[in-house]
Amino acid sequence: LRKFFFNWEKLEGNWWILRNGLGVTLLLAAISAVGSVLVGLLVAILRAYNSPTLNLFLKAYVDIFRSIPMIVIMVVLFFALPFAGISLGSILSTVVALSLGYGAYTAESFRAGIESVHSGQIEAARSLGLSRWQTFRKIILPQAIRRALPGSGNELIYLIKYSSLAYMVTCIELTGEGKILASMFFK
């Protein structure tokens, strides 16, 4: 066990490679986390307006992106879009894939949070003369975000874990650097 998993002599002088990979992983996760929260919040807010045609497209987005594996989304964005004339780099395609994929999950968390606010609070805000937007911004949204945090937090943990798939689209992050080191030293 020590020879294969805890052999520090093999990594001596090469820690900087793993440190650089960890930096890329954390960068991907941070940008994608912000993107997925923004996408999820936007989709949840738009779904709260109950427009039948808009909800049809938003439900389709959520259902499609929740059912496709993350690696497929990354591969399509990185390898298939250039055939349509859109060429994204490996980092950008990873960030977009993670943001869109986990944006669908966080949208459902935020939507559940919005729907969990009691209708009596909405009626009370309206009776005080608040507009629909003021009611949503000052009464509904703060409570909804607080209630959606546990589910969204779980999705952000999954996002960090799935950022390791970035090496499949030539983005060398911690997993990719680990594979390079393993191929150099553990033959």
Side-chain angles (χ1 to χ4, degrees):
L1 185 69
R2 185 183 180 281
K3 179 182 176 185
F4 291 107
F5 293 107
F6 300 107
N7 193 346
W8 303 115
E9 292 85 25
K10 298 282 186 176
L11 289 176
E12 198 168 309
N14 294 308
W15 286 104
W16 64 272
I17 295 173
L18 292 177
R19 188 191 69 225
N20 291 345
L22 179 63
V24 173
T25 298
L26 294 176
L27 177 73
L28 290 173
I31 295 172
S32 300
V34 171
S36 67
V37 167
L38 291 176
V39 168
L41 194 56
L42 178 67
V43 169
I45 289 170
L46 291 175
R47 283 192 68 182
Y49 281 111
N50 291 327
S51 170
T53 54
L54 184 60
N55 274 351
L56 180 70
F57 291 111
L58 294 174
K59 285 179 186 178
Y61 158 72
V62 169
D63 288 343
I64 289 170
F65 277 91
R66 286 179 68 191
S67 64
I68 298 174
M70 188 56 59
I71 193 165
V72 173
I73 298 171
M74 285 184 192
V75 167
V76 166
L77 287 177
F78 185 73
F79 292 112
L81 280 184
F83 291 111
I86 303 169
S87 182
L88 302 175
S90 61
I91 291 179
L92 185 59
S93 63
T94 301
V95 167
V96 170
L98 290 171
S99 296
L100 290 176
Y102 283 99
Y105 286 104
T106 55
E108 288 299 293
S109 295
F110 285 130
R111 182 190 59 81
I114 289 170
E115 289 180 357
S116 70
V117 176
H118 194 271
S119 61
Q121 294 185 20
I122 298 167
E123 293 169 3
R126 296 304 298 235
S127 69
L128 290 173
L130 295 176
S131 68
R132 186 173 179 181
W133 172 247
Q134 288 174 325
T135 301
F136 193 80
R137 187 172 51 95
K138 293 182 179 182
I139 306 296
I140 298 171
L141 203 54
Q143 294 180 60
I145 289 174
R146 190 174 318 122
R147 292 176 183 180
L149 277 180
S152 298
N154 287 340
E155 296 307 324
L156 294 179
I157 290 169
Y158 286 126
L159 183 140
I160 293 169
K161 287 169 53 177
Y162 277 110
S163 68
S164 67
L165 295 174
Y167 83 96
M168 295 297 287
V169 292
T170 70
C171 181
I172 305 300
E173 40 69 67
L174 185 59
T175 305
E177 295 288 6
K179 288 181 73 71
I180 291 170
L181 282 175
S183 69
M184 287 172 33
F185 294 112
F186 300 104
K187 295 180 182 181

